[in-house]
Amino acid sequence: MDKQEIIDKINQVFEESFEIEKEKLLPQANIFEDLGLDSLDVVDLVVALQQKFGIKIRDDQRLRNIRTLDDIYKFVLTLRDEEKM
């Protein structure tokens, strides 16, 4: 899976799970301030990403540092590079 495929799948999660318009899905968008997610939504986001990519990330400490959509892209790309997916 290449970088653009990963980005497209992550954006799909935001569109389908949180009904966020595609135009708002910019890499610099803060998932809390710009996209309107709250702490409970983050739990749903983790579950949705796990299902979308077939990975287990719930206990990954790096999740705590994620603030923007680009942080999520980089996190999932790192998982890919670590061959966890």
Side-chain angles (χ1 to χ4, degrees), residues 2-70:
D2 70 19
K3 181 179 179 179
Q4 190 58 52
E5 288 174 320
I6 289 172
I7 290 170
D8 291 344
K9 280 187 159 195
I10 292 170
N11 287 348
Q12 256 183 342
V13 166
F14 277 87
E15 290 177 68
E16 294 169 359
S17 300
F18 304 104
E19 299 179 357
I20 296 174
E21 299 163 7
K22 188 177 279 190
E23 298 76 32
K24 292 184 177 180
L25 298 175
L26 304 171
Q28 69 273 18
N30 183 294
I31 60 172
F32 301 104
E33 296 168 9
D34 299 322
L35 302 180
L37 272 65
D38 61 25
S39 58
L40 292 176
D41 291 330
V42 171
V43 174
D44 292 339
L45 174 62
V46 168
V47 170
L49 289 173
Q50 289 181 141
Q51 291 174 342
K52 192 67 133 178
F53 292 101
I55 55 176
K56 186 160 181 78
I57 55 175
R58 176 172 235 135
D59 298 328
D60 197 311
Q61 295 299 314
R62 294 174 289 192
L63 289 172
R64 297 175 191 265
N65 299 323
I66 290 176
R67 297 289 179 267
T68 67
L69 203 50
D70 193 49

